[in-house]
Amino acid sequence: MTEESVLQKTNRVNLLFDFYQLLLTEKQQIFLKHYFHDDYSLGEIASEFSISRQAVYEHIKRAESVLEEYETKLQLLSKYGERQRLLHELKRLVEELPEDRGSIRSITERLAEMD
């Protein structure tokens, strides 16, 4: 796996975690947070919880799978991405309007703040 693809995977897991964190078990939350947010190694997590590196790896892989299952069903991350894309397009169109566009700009800014 290239460094860029590892970074993309890490970013995706972090985003999925932001959306679905509360749907995971406490242990899944802790392991994913340590591994992806805090950049702990498998060995560091294993040592902290007195389990094998393999067990940590399996917990993390299972949690990633659960996150992907939630995304497949609920589509929160993809809908968020689409809202961001549409908001960016709306802002671009507002900038092209002649005359007073203050109220439209205000609405687009409020939409942006919602996410």
Side-chain angles (χ1 to χ4, degrees):
M1 207 178 236
T2 67
E3 188 175 325
E4 184 176 330
S5 63
V6 169
L7 183 59
Q8 288 174 339
K9 178 185 175 187
T10 298
N11 287 339
R12 179 170 175 79
V13 170
N14 281 326
L15 287 169
L16 290 172
F17 187 77
D18 287 345
F19 283 105
Y20 303 113
Q21 172 181 351
L22 297 177
L23 300 175
L24 299 173
T25 67
E26 184 177 347
K27 189 174 278 190
Q28 288 172 331
Q29 290 178 39
I30 291 168
F31 285 7
L32 283 179
K33 182 180 180 304
H34 281 347
Y35 191 71
F36 287 103
H37 284 226
D38 303 332
D39 202 27
Y40 282 29
S41 69
L42 295 176
E44 290 170 321
I45 299 168
S47 176
E48 184 175 328
F49 291 92
S50 301
I51 60 175
S52 70
R53 291 181 64 219
Q54 182 64 31
V56 172
Y57 176 81
E58 289 171 5
H59 279 291
I60 290 171
K61 285 298 167 193
R62 175 67 183 130
E64 287 179 60
S65 176
V66 168
L67 289 175
E68 291 293 349
E69 288 173 22
Y70 285 133
E71 177 59 15
T72 298
K73 292 175 184 172
L74 301 173
Q75 300 284 307
L76 297 180
L77 178 58
S78 63
K79 289 175 184 176
Y80 171 79
E82 180 65 7
R83 280 193 310 275
Q84 291 301 302
R85 187 191 68 71
L86 291 170
L87 183 60
H88 177 74
E89 179 68 11
L90 182 59
K91 285 180 178 180
R92 187 188 64 74
L93 291 171
V94 166
E95 292 304 317
E96 294 175 3
L97 291 174
E99 314 262 336
D100 178 30
R101 52 186 183 249
S103 60
I104 296 172
R105 182 177 289 129
S106 173
I107 290 170
T108 57
E109 288 170 2
R110 287 176 41 210
L111 278 172
E113 291 171 2
M114 291 178 80
D115 282 328

